[in-house]
Amino acid sequence: FIIDDDTLFVVNCTKLKVWDVAKELGFEAPRKMPAVLAYHGRSFYEFLVLVRELSITFGKSIPWVILSAKYGFLAPNEVIENYDVTFNQPGSISDEELAKQVEFKEINGRRLSLFKRVYVYTRNPIYFEKACRALRNANICIQLASAQAVTYIHIRSDRKYP
């Protein structure tokens, strides 16, 4: 497990969001919210714990973004609104737009296109494929499917993506 200045983590968005939880509890959440506070799926919480532990272990902030089927790559503090879209549905972001975002979006002052090692925390192969294809400048793209001692790792280093 290598984490250095060339490492970026990506986590998928989740269907369960703060607006759903608020509705279930009988109140209304603000219409807009930072992405890090909007997603409430179990895998997202697992990822947040993993990143926190890695930050403590390595003694530095770990660069990470959220891959949203609607918005594309999101910094944790980017403000979003409620949505219910998955990839390959009307309203989802295109592969071309994801590739464009990689060229201009930044995390911690660094363009996404400059990261050489990408860890994608997802159990969904579509999110893994989309992230790796968009972040095509990376030398290696690794799927992490569980924070439990990183029990499943899928390595994609064949660079078959355009």
Side-chain angles (χ1 to χ4, degrees):
F1 207 64
I2 299 170
I3 297 178
D4 59 19
D5 292 340
D6 284 332
T7 304
L8 174 70
F9 281 80
V10 178
V11 63
N12 62 262
C13 63
T14 61
K15 182 170 178 59
L16 185 64
K17 298 176 188 67
V18 67
W19 299 277
D20 304 310
V21 174
K23 186 176 180 181
E24 286 179 16
L25 296 174
F27 66 93
E28 198 171 308
R31 192 171 62 86
K32 296 180 178 185
M33 180 142 329
V36 69
L37 300 177
Y39 298 105
H40 280 250
R42 179 179 169 184
S43 63
F44 191 77
Y45 285 130
E46 290 172 356
F47 174 77
L48 292 178
V49 170
L50 174 66
V51 167
R52 180 177 176 271
E53 293 301 317
L54 290 172
S55 292
I56 291 168
T57 299
F58 289 93
K60 64 180 182 177
S61 175
I62 304 294
W64 64 278
V65 293
I66 302 159
L67 179 53
S68 160
K70 178 175 180 171
Y71 295 102
F73 293 103
L74 292 166
N77 63 342
E78 281 188 72
V79 175
I80 66 168
E81 294 184 38
N82 194 12
Y83 67 94
D84 186 14
V85 175
T86 60
F87 280 116
N88 304 321
Q89 284 186 332
S92 67
I93 192 163
S94 69
D95 290 347
E96 295 77 23
E97 187 59 33
L98 283 174
K100 287 180 191 173
Q101 284 185 349
V102 166
E103 296 304 320
F104 71 84
K105 283 229 170 181
E106 293 185 357
I107 190 72
N108 297 355
R110 187 171 181 184
R111 277 196 338 264
L112 298 181
S113 63
L114 298 178
F115 288 94
K116 298 299 178 194
R117 183 176 302 100
V118 178
Y119 294 110
V120 184
Y121 191 89
T122 185
R123 292 177 185 91
N124 187 321
I126 294 172
Y127 281 82
F128 176 61
E129 294 280 332
K130 297 272 187 185
C132 293
R133 187 174 291 123
L135 293 158
R136 63 186 172 272
N137 290 341
N139 295 329
I140 192 163
C141 193
I142 300 173
Q143 180 181 7
L144 305 176
S146 171
Q148 298 296 327
V150 190
T151 55
Y152 173 74
I153 298 178
H154 176 113
I155 300 177
R156 195 262 19 239
S157 60
D158 55 19
R159 302 310 309 160
K160 65 181 178 183
Y161 302 101

